[in-house]
Amino acid sequence: MKSFAGPALFLDRSDINTDEIIPAKYLTEITKQDLRPYILEDLKLPGFDPKGEKTSSARVIVSRANFGCGSSREHAPWVFEVNDINVVIAESFARIFRQNMFNCGMAAIELPKEGLDLLFGYAGCEDAAIAVDIEAQKITANGGGKQHVLSFEISPFDKALVLAGGWVDYADSKY
Amino acid sequence: MGMTIAEKIFTSHLVDEPFAGTRVLKLDVVMCHEITTPIAIDDLMARGKDRVFDPGKIKAVIDHVTPSKDSKTATQAKILRDWARRHAIPDFFDIGANGVCHALFPEKGYIRPGYTVIMGDSHTCTHGAFGAFAAGVGTTDLEVGILKGVCAFREPKTIRINLNGTLPKGVYAKDVILHVIGTLTVNGATDRVMEFRGPVIDAMTMESRMTLCNMAIEAGGTSGICMPDGVTVDYLWPFIEKEYASREAALAAFKKWWSDDDAVYDRVVDIDVSALEPAVTFGYKPDQVKVIGEIAGTPVDQVYLGSCTNGRLEDLRVAAAILKGKKIAPSVRAILSPATPKIYRDALNEGLIAVFMEAGFCVTNPTCGACLGMSNGVLAEGEVCASTTNRNFMGRMGKGGMVHLMSPATSAATAIEGKIADPRKYL
């Protein structure tokens, strides 16, 4: 199973699309590793720098509603994966992006707005870090001397995909 | 309790229900293009599983960047081409025969009512126009589809969208779907099938139904879907005439897929189209929609007519009727990409290509290229494009570029004036 813990990157906007996560001009790369420098390149948010230290050190992304909408490109989860980000926490996801995350053994975790607002409360902390325990279905947020623990829901199938390391291994053993 | 068409398709294709709410379905068609398939092919090879579940059920095309523009895109094309040859995939379309996947594959008669269809492309929902469950997926789902012929979905909930009334002059399927997306918002149909019903659909051609279903994903929908009727039978007849004694027999067989009268819907939306006006997007989300009067006069640098949304013969006819005998404004450049070689040839034979060229259009080969800013019409920073495509995301057609989505008619009127224009005055 992958790691789902570390410094958090807060992207405070809904409807962040896969063109913003990885622009189409990079879809000509043949290996996942080659996508690495282009993470979130076209995302314009106040205070956000795709090339900045906060982006490169991030291991967890926290965002708002309908994250990952648009193109079906799995390059979006892959560009996170090769940057050691294996989990996105959001109010909701676009279906294909969400499935792509779990299919890669990564996690797309949905929280109600109140829970997300609580996590965004850590956005100002320089040391904000989040750990997601998939099996226990718990999120632990730390930063600025505070700590919160939140529970989340995950479908049993999505959980099985994370534990199996993704859909290819799961399907290959079963169908 | 009755079932929706999506529920009937799920029930008839069920392979496994590993957990409550998760359905693993048998696939009838797995479609592949050169952008999202090569990494699946490479992964299958690395796993020592370079196999395909059924070569006859796989359809493959090089369409996103074709002819290749550089070494990288040439490599992607080569990986798909070599794979198709290695596995003797009969329905593989290369340069000379290739076109935009969601226009090409229906034209070849590959999609039938009741089918399950996936592709590593979000606009796969287009094929729901035939009464199929058709969903865009990522590369991993595609890889498992290629290897095993199955795909997992959550149990389908359906939003029924009743389109009532009569389309006014100058208002087309594109205007309707932009209005629907504006109503539902960009995630209003997430994890839902969008079932289009009503007299407006009954009166629509298959091309228009494809335009409508194509943009279901822009409201978050898993698949668009229409009931397969006499129009569907007529479109498919050359491909199915040996399977059915008559068109009536085919229609009777197709009707078994229709949603039951007592089917249960997650939501029902009623829209009267009679008062709709031509629609144009503003901003960077497809649910940001204005009626033409609110946005007319906005200057544009480029007009793009094409794509899986609006690059079909019907679209070219509508635009050519407006452009006939006219010139595009000197301040704009205009590009037409007929979506398939057949559409291109039919447009040539009908004299439409001559109309576009005399008006000042550049006519390119069939390709997805400009729609996603990969080739054949990429925008420069700060430029504005009036486009018949399906996404207006920031940077979609080129970094720093702005895209206004609209119908082919509105794009033609816009080309003439050099600024967003109402097509109705040219009809």
Side-chain angles (χ1 to χ4, degrees):
Chain A
M1 197 171 35
K2 295 179 183 298
S3 163
F4 303 104
L9 177 65
F10 294 88
L11 305 175
D12 196 359
R13 206 198 79 201
S14 290
D15 306 315
I16 290 177
N17 65 60
T18 53
D19 276 83
E20 292 170 310
I21 296 168
I22 181 80
K25 64 184 173 189
Y26 302 122
L27 304 187
T28 59
E29 301 296 345
I30 305 286
T31 73
K32 299 177 188 180
Q33 282 300 334
D34 288 335
L35 300 170
R36 198 168 185 277
Y38 313 122
I39 181 171
L40 294 163
E41 186 177 283
D42 274 359
L43 180 65
K44 304 270 188 294
L45 275 182
F48 170 71
D49 176 7
K51 309 281 184 218
E53 196 275 331
K54 275 197 168 172
T55 307
S56 59
S57 66
R59 298 293 174 266
V60 176
I61 287 175
V62 181
S63 191
R64 295 289 183 181
N66 198 31
F67 188 90
C69 60
S71 158
S72 64
R73 65 190 68 157
E74 204 160 304
H75 305 70
W78 294 336
V79 76
F80 291 147
E81 186 181 23
V82 297
N83 280 281
D84 300 318
I85 296 167
N86 294 318
V87 57
V88 180
I89 304 168
E91 191 178 333
S92 61
F93 292 91
R95 185 196 72 85
I96 304 174
F97 177 85
R98 183 191 67 216
Q99 195 62 49
N100 288 345
M101 289 287 282
F102 288 115
N103 281 349
C104 292
M106 301 162 73
I109 304 299
E110 291 180 343
L111 276 185
K113 188 172 180 306
E114 305 74 58
L116 269 176
D117 286 344
L118 204 152
L119 290 187
F120 271 99
Y122 286 86
C125 306
E126 280 303 312
D127 60 343
I130 288 175
V132 179
D133 184 334
I134 300 289
E135 288 189 88
Q137 298 184 205
K138 295 234 177 295
I139 296 170
T140 307
N142 277 295
K146 296 179 293 179
Q147 184 184 76
H148 280 96
V149 179
L150 299 164
S151 321
F152 62 88
E153 297 294 323
I154 181 171
S155 88
F157 179 61
D158 294 340
K159 195 173 192 171
L161 291 179
V162 175
L163 299 179
W167 173 229
V168 179
D169 289 317
Y170 182 96
D172 199 37
S173 66
K174 215 169 159 196
Y175 302 110
Chain B
M1 193 175 72
M3 288 196 283
T4 63
I5 182 169
E7 287 168 339
K8 289 184 181 184
I9 295 171
F10 268 52
T11 302
S12 63
H13 288 73
L14 189 66
V15 171
D16 187 24
E17 196 169 351
F19 299 96
T22 300
R23 312 279 178 90
V24 178
L25 305 185
K26 178 172 79 72
L27 298 171
D28 294 307
V29 179
V30 176
M31 308 190 300
C32 303
H33 66 54
E34 87 282 13
I35 297 295
T36 54
T37 316
I39 291 187
I41 295 169
D42 283 352
D43 192 62
L44 287 170
M45 291 178 80
R47 290 170 183 269
K49 295 179 188 297
D50 181 24
R51 302 190 296 268
V52 301
F53 83 109
D54 183 344
K57 291 183 175 172
I58 292 180
K59 316 293 170 188
V61 63
I62 297 167
D63 66 352
H64 271 56
V65 183
T66 184
S68 302
K69 64 174 180 175
D70 54 19
S71 301
K72 285 180 177 175
T73 52
T75 302
Q76 290 181 306
K78 180 171 163 44
I79 291 171
L80 191 73
R81 184 182 295 125
D82 289 350
W83 171 78
R85 286 178 183 159
R86 193 160 69 240
H87 296 288
I89 290 167
D91 300 318
F92 168 63
F93 299 90
D94 207 333
I95 291 176
N98 58 356
V100 177
C101 51
H102 307 307
L104 183 72
F105 292 148
E107 189 182 276
K108 298 290 178 186
Y110 296 153
I111 314 301
R112 307 289 168 77
Y115 268 19
T116 50
V117 182
I118 65 164
M119 184 176 199
D121 191 284
S122 61
H123 293 106
T124 306
C125 48
T126 310
H127 308 279
F130 291 84
F133 174 78
V137 298
T139 293
T140 301
D141 271 338
L142 182 71
E143 182 175 337
V144 171
I146 288 168
L147 183 64
K148 301 282 180 179
V150 300
C151 193
F153 292 95
R154 292 188 180 181
E155 55 187 321
K157 292 178 179 170
T158 298
I159 300 177
R160 177 171 170 153
I161 298 155
N162 295 318
L163 297 168
N164 301 313
T166 313
L167 282 178
K169 196 171 83 166
V171 177
Y172 304 89
K174 180 63 160 286
D175 302 294
V176 174
I177 190 62
L178 287 175
H179 179 77
V180 169
I181 297 163
T183 304
L184 291 179
T185 77
V186 288
N187 60 347
T190 301
D191 284 315
R192 305 290 185 271
V193 170
M194 292 166 71
E195 182 179 307
F196 297 104
R197 301 291 295 268
V200 177
I201 304 298
D202 298 342
M204 269 186 185
T205 61
M206 287 311 299
E207 286 85 349
S208 289
R209 293 179 193 182
M210 283 190 259
T211 299
L212 204 63
C213 289
N214 174 271
M215 291 189 72
I217 183 68
E218 309 313 330
T222 304
S223 180
I225 207 159
C226 300
M227 301 303 111
D229 60 6
V231 177
T232 321
V233 172
D234 288 345
Y235 185 99
L236 288 175
W237 190 245
F239 308 103
I240 61 172
E241 59 183 346
K242 290 193 175 66
E243 296 169 35
Y244 299 97
S246 64
R247 291 181 194 232
E248 292 69 30
L251 180 59
F254 288 178
K255 278 193 169 176
K256 74 171 183 185
W257 296 109
W258 284 29
S259 295
D260 296 324
D261 290 341
D262 57 345
V264 177
Y265 291 94
D266 181 63
R267 185 180 167 192
V268 178
V269 179
D270 290 291
I271 294 173
D272 188 333
V273 303
S274 304
L276 288 188
E277 296 194 69
V280 179
T281 62
F282 66 99
Y284 298 106
K285 296 198 295 170
D287 63 355
Q288 293 176 306
V289 179
K290 289 186 174 179
V291 294
I292 186 74
E294 297 173 315
I295 196 165
T298 305
V300 306
D301 301 291
Q302 177 171 297
V303 172
Y304 184 79
L305 178 52
S307 84
C308 57
T309 317
N310 279 126
R312 299 184 182 82
L313 189 61
E314 161 181 303
D315 304 313
L316 274 53
R317 284 178 182 154
V318 166
I322 290 171
L323 289 161
K324 194 171 175 62
K326 298 194 172 60
K327 299 278 183 203
I328 63 170
S331 58
V332 296
R333 53 188 192 266
I335 299 166
L336 164 67
S337 175
T340 70
K342 181 178 188 302
I343 293 165
Y344 199 150
R345 190 175 306 164
D346 288 348
L348 266 173
N349 292 341
E350 287 188 18
L352 307 180
I353 298 297
V355 170
F356 285 108
M357 293 186 77
E358 280 159 22
F361 270 68
C362 162
V363 183
T364 81
N365 65 301
T367 178
C368 310
C371 169
L372 69 167
M374 291 192 85
S375 64
N376 281 37
V378 180
L379 300 177
E381 190 104 28
E383 287 192 322
V384 178
C385 185
S387 182
T388 67
T389 56
N390 43 47
R391 286 205 173 114
N392 57 345
F393 296 159
M394 182 176 276
R396 171 77 178 179
M397 291 184 83
K399 196 177 180 76
M402 172 87 199
V403 181
H404 294 284
L405 305 176
M406 59 186 68
S407 74
T410 308
S411 79
T414 300
I416 292 166
E417 299 194 13
K419 52 193 194 227
I420 295 175
D422 193 329
R424 291 172 295 191
K425 58 184 155 180
Y426 296 98
L427 296 171

